[in-house]
mmCIF file of all heavy atoms in Angstrom:
data_model
loop_
_atom_site.group_PDB
_atom_site.id
_atom_site.type_symbol
_atom_site.label_atom_id
_atom_site.label_comp_id
_atom_site.label_asym_id
_atom_site.label_seq_id
_atom_site.Cartn_x
_atom_site.Cartn_y
_atom_site.Cartn_z
ATOM 1 N N THR A 766 -29.618 -22.439 1.202
ATOM 2 C CA THR A 766 -29.665 -21.306 2.129
ATOM 3 C C THR A 766 -28.682 -21.569 3.258
ATOM 4 O O THR A 766 -28.703 -22.643 3.871
ATOM 5 C CB THR A 766 -31.072 -21.103 2.704
ATOM 6 O OG1 THR A 766 -31.983 -20.817 1.635
ATOM 7 C CG2 THR A 766 -31.090 -19.943 3.693
ATOM 8 N N MET A 767 -27.820 -20.606 3.521
ATOM 9 C CA MET A 767 -26.848 -20.706 4.612
ATOM 10 C C MET A 767 -27.109 -19.552 5.573
ATOM 11 O O MET A 767 -27.055 -18.384 5.166
ATOM 12 C CB MET A 767 -25.416 -20.629 4.081
ATOM 13 C CG MET A 767 -25.111 -21.577 2.941
ATOM 14 S SD MET A 767 -23.441 -21.321 2.285
ATOM 15 C CE MET A 767 -23.659 -21.869 0.585
ATOM 16 N N THR A 768 -27.363 -19.887 6.800
ATOM 17 C CA THR A 768 -27.683 -18.869 7.801
ATOM 18 C C THR A 768 -26.578 -18.811 8.846
ATOM 19 O O THR A 768 -26.215 -19.827 9.453
ATOM 20 C CB THR A 768 -29.021 -19.177 8.484
ATOM 21 O OG1 THR A 768 -30.043 -19.246 7.479
ATOM 22 C CG2 THR A 768 -29.379 -18.086 9.481
ATOM 23 N N PHE A 769 -26.056 -17.609 9.041
ATOM 24 C CA PHE A 769 -25.022 -17.352 10.041
ATOM 25 C C PHE A 769 -25.516 -16.240 10.975
ATOM 26 O O PHE A 769 -26.464 -15.524 10.639
ATOM 27 C CB PHE A 769 -23.711 -16.934 9.361
ATOM 28 C CG PHE A 769 -23.222 -17.901 8.327
ATOM 29 C CD1 PHE A 769 -23.497 -17.705 6.977
ATOM 30 C CD2 PHE A 769 -22.501 -19.023 8.701
ATOM 31 C CE1 PHE A 769 -23.055 -18.597 6.024
ATOM 32 C CE2 PHE A 769 -22.053 -19.925 7.749
ATOM 33 C CZ PHE A 769 -22.334 -19.723 6.409
ATOM 34 N N PRO A 770 -24.907 -16.095 12.133
ATOM 35 C CA PRO A 770 -25.363 -15.047 13.063
ATOM 36 C C PRO A 770 -25.332 -13.637 12.474
ATOM 37 O O PRO A 770 -26.133 -12.782 12.859
ATOM 38 C CB PRO A 770 -24.377 -15.166 14.241
ATOM 39 C CG PRO A 770 -23.929 -16.589 14.207
ATOM 40 C CD PRO A 770 -23.879 -16.952 12.759
ATOM 41 N N ASP A 771 -24.420 -13.382 11.542
ATOM 42 C CA ASP A 771 -24.290 -12.021 11.022
ATOM 43 C C ASP A 771 -24.822 -11.839 9.609
ATOM 44 O O ASP A 771 -24.939 -10.708 9.122
ATOM 45 C CB ASP A 771 -22.822 -11.575 11.070
ATOM 46 C CG ASP A 771 -21.897 -12.517 10.302
ATOM 47 O OD1 ASP A 771 -22.327 -13.638 9.993
ATOM 48 O OD2 ASP A 771 -20.750 -12.123 10.018
ATOM 49 N N VAL A 772 -25.165 -12.931 8.912
ATOM 50 C CA VAL A 772 -25.609 -12.804 7.522
ATOM 51 C C VAL A 772 -26.299 -14.089 7.086
ATOM 52 O O VAL A 772 -26.031 -15.173 7.622
ATOM 53 C CB VAL A 772 -24.405 -12.501 6.597
ATOM 54 C CG1 VAL A 772 -23.456 -13.679 6.559
ATOM 55 C CG2 VAL A 772 -24.858 -12.100 5.193
ATOM 56 N N THR A 773 -27.187 -13.942 6.102
ATOM 57 C CA THR A 773 -27.805 -15.098 5.452
ATOM 58 C C THR A 773 -27.411 -15.087 3.982
ATOM 59 O O THR A 773 -27.506 -14.046 3.318
ATOM 60 C CB THR A 773 -29.335 -15.054 5.575
ATOM 61 O OG1 THR A 773 -29.691 -15.170 6.947
ATOM 62 C CG2 THR A 773 -29.974 -16.200 4.796
ATOM 63 N N LEU A 774 -26.953 -16.235 3.485
ATOM 64 C CA LEU A 774 -26.567 -16.362 2.082
ATOM 65 C C LEU A 774 -27.526 -17.326 1.401
ATOM 66 O O LEU A 774 -27.776 -18.427 1.912
ATOM 67 C CB LEU A 774 -25.130 -16.885 1.971
ATOM 68 C CG LEU A 774 -24.567 -16.964 0.552
ATOM 69 C CD1 LEU A 774 -24.232 -15.573 0.037
ATOM 70 C CD2 LEU A 774 -23.315 -17.839 0.520
ATOM 71 N N ARG A 775 -28.074 -16.916 0.259
ATOM 72 C CA ARG A 775 -29.020 -17.764 -0.463
ATOM 73 C C ARG A 775 -28.572 -17.886 -1.911
ATOM 74 O O ARG A 775 -28.216 -16.885 -2.558
ATOM 75 C CB ARG A 775 -30.431 -17.191 -0.386
ATOM 76 C CG ARG A 775 -31.529 -18.157 -0.840
ATOM 77 C CD ARG A 775 -32.889 -17.705 -0.355
ATOM 78 N NE ARG A 775 -32.982 -17.802 1.097
ATOM 79 C CZ ARG A 775 -33.926 -17.219 1.822
ATOM 80 N NH1 ARG A 775 -34.839 -16.472 1.247
ATOM 81 N NH2 ARG A 775 -33.949 -17.384 3.133
ATOM 82 N N VAL A 776 -28.591 -19.119 -2.418
ATOM 83 C CA VAL A 776 -28.168 -19.399 -3.786
ATOM 84 C C VAL A 776 -29.397 -19.808 -4.594
ATOM 85 O O VAL A 776 -30.143 -20.711 -4.201
ATOM 86 C CB VAL A 776 -27.107 -20.521 -3.823
ATOM 87 C CG1 VAL A 776 -26.608 -20.737 -5.245
ATOM 88 C CG2 VAL A 776 -25.945 -20.185 -2.905
ATOM 89 N N TYR A 777 -29.611 -19.114 -5.727
ATOM 90 C CA TYR A 777 -30.747 -19.393 -6.613
ATOM 91 C C TYR A 777 -30.239 -19.874 -7.963
ATOM 92 O O TYR A 777 -29.106 -19.594 -8.356
ATOM 93 C CB TYR A 777 -31.575 -18.122 -6.844
ATOM 94 C CG TYR A 777 -32.179 -17.508 -5.605
ATOM 95 C CD1 TYR A 777 -31.455 -16.610 -4.838
ATOM 96 C CD2 TYR A 777 -33.496 -17.792 -5.237
ATOM 97 C CE1 TYR A 777 -32.002 -16.017 -3.723
ATOM 98 C CE2 TYR A 777 -34.060 -17.197 -4.113
ATOM 99 C CZ TYR A 777 -33.311 -16.311 -3.360
ATOM 100 O OH TYR A 777 -33.872 -15.733 -2.252
#
Side-chain angles (χ1 to χ4, degrees):
T766 299
M767 309 175 208
T768 302
F769 306 97
D771 57 345
V772 66
T773 295
L774 184 74
R775 193 163 293 165
V776 184
Y777 299 87

